Amino acid sequence: METFKSIAKPFSFLFGIFLLFANAMFLANAITHIHDFVVQATPVKRLCNTHNTITVNGQYPGPTLEVNDGDSLEIKVVNKAQYNVTIHWHGIRQMRTGWADGPEFVTQCPIRPGESYTYRFTIQGQEGTLWWHAHSSWLRATVYGALIIHPKEGSSYPFAKPSRETLILLGEWWDANPIDVVRQATITGATPNVSDAYTINGQPGDLYKCSSKETVTVPVNSGETNLLRVINSALNQQLFFTVANHKLTVVGADAAYLKPFTTSVIMLGPGQTTDVLITADQPPARYYIAARAYASAQGAPFDNTTTTAILEYKTASCTTKCSTTTPVSASLPAYNDTATATAFTTTLRSPKKVPVPTDIDENLLFTVGLGLNKCPSGASAQNCQGPNGTRFTASMNNVSFVLPSSFSLLQAHQQGIRGVFSADFPAAPPVKFDYTGNVSRSLWQPATGTKVYRLKYGSRVQLVLQGTSIFTAENHPIHLHGYDFYIVAEGFGNFNPQKDTAKFNLVDPPMRNTASVPVKGWAAIRFVADNPGIWFLHCHLDVHITWGLAMAFLVEDGVGELQALQPPPEDLPLC
Ligand code: C2O
């Protein structure tokens, strides 16, 4: 570039004009979508009661963003609510635009009540179903919506174009203010109250009180194929999803295509999306669409209700009779059916051979799990209502993550502000133990810290996420910001590098942004650190983030011109 510049200098003016035109031509097809997101309290009636609910533009769920790959977005978020807020574009790679990623105190300080911030980013090489959600306290319980990325103009899906597309946003509803629920739990140290309903597109469905009239219906014509874009936007619960008597053909997950396969049930952890094709090949009638918990933690309380919608055939015979008949019932696996959950996640394959990194520069092992803190001295019994007078906590590699409060991690990194974080997050558990066995009580209490793990630009990373059975083992949906990764293997028990590496799929593993780490098990992921910035890695069960089940990667700039984090936008909220 340097040599080129010096040659071009005398012609710089003309060259500039040429660039302008070239740019305009290049950008001719790319669209910038401009939206206003007004975050505000809105009365929402569910389960017989009305709550002043935090929404975007008064909509629950929030507005759907529909774009094409290559498009840019400019979303001005205006905070008219009484809480701090940020919005995260879950699964968007945000190449070099970490400032638009959204997690509070990680890539930005919160947007205070009365303030605003414009998120600017471009979709680069992603197609499929993603979503957006608040990333501040538990606001995402009601502040979320879909982000659908169609192929570039002129390209198509790798499967026959479906006649219809239907969005299915699975959610979780508290008959209370979710912010009060988490505040209460933070005071008591106990587990927060479980939700009162699951929802499909914001509606609990006809199995709940005061809800049957609003049950969502999905119309279909006999014979046609419908693409269901299923998103688990529930706060704290993995969900099984099914449609009565219909086969689901899985074609994508987390905005990456998959080798198609059919199944009657899918499982999604919070954060995950799955695209399925469904053909209306059954006798015209009404069929239940249903979701309920996959709850893997033994003995832990969970919301054991079922949300429903109705797949309704629109043929003549049906419009006259169907709406009065009871829908055909759907069968879902038992809440603790780990075999079904595992059978689903281990069947996912990329459509063809993918470039999985093979020579690994960073070989990491992170434990993920819960913990119990002894009642701190000076605290009262009210503050220690966890098991045997403790307080719940959670950690990765024995570090319970604490968010900073005076600067975001990204600002501290970019401006070299010291004392906000330390770059000594351990590459392996500081103490080796039988992670999924009977763990000694002396290992139940993690340290607290704001620690990041530093990665050189371009390093090839293998990360094994190892579940622990500290207090109780359970499935953890672990989400990495700013990246997609390949899940090369998962298994039960403790990861064994001698034996388990042989099972790695380095040919066609699925690419995702959220991995389900099996209960009492592990998942191995690989990615290339080609996106500079600070990227949050956390359990997508919000109750676990609250307890500290998180860490962040600091990915250094590369040397190339397009390998550095962009400068921060002028309206970036500061602390
Ligand atoms: Cu969808 Cu950090 O989250």
Side-chain angles (χ1 to χ4, degrees), residues 375-427:
C375 198
S377 60
S380 76
Q382 263 102 41
N383 305 123
C384 298
Q385 297 184 39
N388 306 313
T390 57
R391 290 179 59 82
F392 271 98
T393 180
S395 66
M396 283 193 182
N397 274 355
N398 203 46
V399 184
S400 185
F401 191 78
V402 179
L403 288 167
S405 56
S406 45
F407 296 96
S408 71
L409 297 177
L410 192 57
Q411 189 192 356
H413 160 55
Q414 198 244 356
Q415 299 178 353
I417 300 161
R418 305 179 70 95
V420 177
F421 63 81
S422 56
D424 56 350
F425 187 87

Side-chain angles (χ1 to χ4, degrees), residues 88 90 131 133 135 479 481 536 538 540:
H88 167 53
H90 180 115
W131 60 302
H133 61 79
H135 213 301
H479 173 49
H481 286 228
F536 212 23
H538 64 84
H540 217 288

